[in-house]
Amino acid sequence: MTTLLRRYGWPLTAVIVLLCAWWVVVMVVLPQLVMVDYSFRPNLLPREIGTEKDVWTLANYKTLWSNQIHLAIFFKTIWASCLVTFVTFVVCYPIAYYMAQVARGPKAGLFAVLLVIPYWVNEILRTFAWYILLSRGGPINEALMGLGLIAEPIDLKQGDLGVILGMVYAYILFMVFPLYTAMESLDRNQIEAARDLGASIPRIHWRVVIPHSKPGIATGCIMTFMLAAGSYAVPALLGSPGSRWFTEIIYNWFFEGGDWPQGSAYAFILLLLCLGFILLMLKLFKVRLGDIAK
């Protein structure tokens, strides 16, 4: 606040603060409060709203624990989102390190542009591209048959493989840029000193690069996990009937079942899961929320 006052003065600072407050309250806080209120109410007919039946209840939350299919999908979504986060980190770590400590200058900028260009295309179209790649008549099957690795086309979208691949690709930028930002501030002399002292490459990364990059790793993991757990388009397009995502169940409650209170309860449970994951990352990497915000 002091920096804003010093840079812009009272009038413009007040406008900026009011606009930010309006955005947070109207676009974030109020919708969440309405969702929480809905989640504790029964699904009533319009004429029953406001009557003695319209009271708060935990029945919507109990539904998840009594429905074994939905509960299994919920836990599957958790571990699959964790897997997406881990695979995305493994893929993005060397890319971010190359951009931050090896490429430098114009090469790093060119590499960043090459990463960003595919994301100028709408996410739905990019997901459809993966649908074509993974289909029985797609390029991947054609290549595998051409190499003699398979005798006939296989459906690569069976199970969660297609969903996980699609999500890793869809959210790669949300991991690579926080890692890049954290690694770029690392003094290269520390890496050179560790190498001169006889540290191997894995040990340099484990003892020097990763500890320095903890805020970036935490930020990337939080963003990737939350996007994966809350994704609807990728599972809907790339998932098979046996690989449903929890967001698809929420969608069905809202728009197919017409049960908004039940859908709100499921959505609030998913929100609590994401908040829990944030706290876990903060504790695991021993960083503060302020470090994440940077």
Side-chain angles (χ1 to χ4, degrees):
M1 180 66 75
T2 304
T3 305
L4 286 175
L5 288 173
R6 206 166 36 241
R7 180 176 298 180
Y8 301 114
W10 272 106
L12 188 55
T13 299
V15 172
I16 293 173
V17 171
L18 287 175
L19 288 175
C20 292
W22 180 87
W23 176 268
V24 171
V25 172
V26 176
M27 304 300 292
V28 179
V29 176
L30 287 181
Q32 299 298 331
L33 291 177
V34 172
M35 181 186 70
V36 172
D37 179 62
Y38 264 65
S39 70
F40 287 104
R41 299 201 178 268
N43 187 32
L44 302 174
L45 296 173
R47 66 173 180 271
E48 295 176 325
I49 297 176
T51 64
E52 66 280 358
K53 295 181 180 180
D54 191 5
V55 295
W56 277 23
T57 175
L58 293 174
N60 295 322
Y61 291 91
K62 293 178 181 178
T63 300
L64 177 61
W65 311 111
S66 61
N67 191 316
Q68 296 303 312
I69 296 176
H70 289 183
L71 190 62
I73 293 174
F74 174 70
F75 286 117
K76 191 282 295 282
T77 300
I78 296 175
W79 77 256
S81 299
C82 291
L83 180 60
V84 169
T85 303
F86 176 75
V87 173
T88 307
F89 172 74
V90 171
V91 171
C92 292
Y93 184 88
I95 297 174
Y97 181 79
Y98 177 81
M99 291 171 58
Q101 295 294 328
V102 179
R104 299 279 186 168
K107 287 185 178 180
L110 177 61
F111 208 82
V113 171
L114 292 176
L115 285 173
V116 171
I117 285 177
Y119 290 83
W120 293 352
V121 180
N122 183 273
E123 181 183 356
I124 301 297
L125 296 179
R126 287 187 277 113
T127 305
F128 267 119
W130 271 101
Y131 184 90
I132 295 171
L133 288 172
L134 298 173
S135 64
R136 288 181 176 272
I140 295 179
N141 267 306
E142 294 290 339
L144 292 175
M145 287 191 297
L147 294 172
L149 298 177
I150 57 175
E152 57 183 21
I154 57 176
D155 190 358
L156 297 172
K157 299 189 298 297
Q158 286 294 328
D160 295 315
L161 177 61
V163 177
I164 291 173
L165 289 175
M167 285 189 177
V168 170
Y169 174 74
Y171 308 131
I172 191 171
L173 293 185
F174 295 95
M175 179 69 77
V176 72
F177 282 119
L179 290 176
Y180 166 74
T181 302
M183 292 179 183
E184 190 183 28
S185 62
L186 175 62
D187 188 353
R188 188 169 179 80
N189 291 327
Q190 296 183 42
I191 299 176
E192 296 296 338
R195 185 178 291 115
D196 293 340
L197 291 172
S200 62
I201 292 177
R203 189 170 181 82
I204 290 173
H205 284 275
W206 183 253
R207 298 298 297 273
V208 179
V209 181
I210 290 179
H212 181 84
S213 306
K214 280 183 177 180
I217 296 173
T219 303
C221 289
I222 288 171
M223 295 177 68
T224 304
F225 178 86
M226 293 182 68
L227 288 169
S231 176
Y232 174 78
V234 177
L237 293 175
L238 297 180
S240 62
S243 62
R244 301 188 71 189
W245 219 251
F246 195 63
T247 47
E248 296 178 88
I249 305 298
I250 296 174
Y251 179 90
N252 290 340
W253 278 122
F254 273 108
F255 299 106
E256 293 184 11
D259 193 339
W260 283 45
Q262 188 65 69
S264 297
Y266 276 31
F268 187 58
I269 291 172
L270 185 61
L271 175 62
L272 292 178
L273 167 67
C274 292
L275 292 175
F277 186 83
I278 293 174
L279 296 177
L280 176 63
M281 289 295 102
L282 293 177
K283 187 170 184 62
L284 182 63
F285 290 100
K286 297 179 181 178
V287 295
R288 298 172 300 175
L289 194 59
D291 298 326
I292 299 293
K294 295 178 182 178

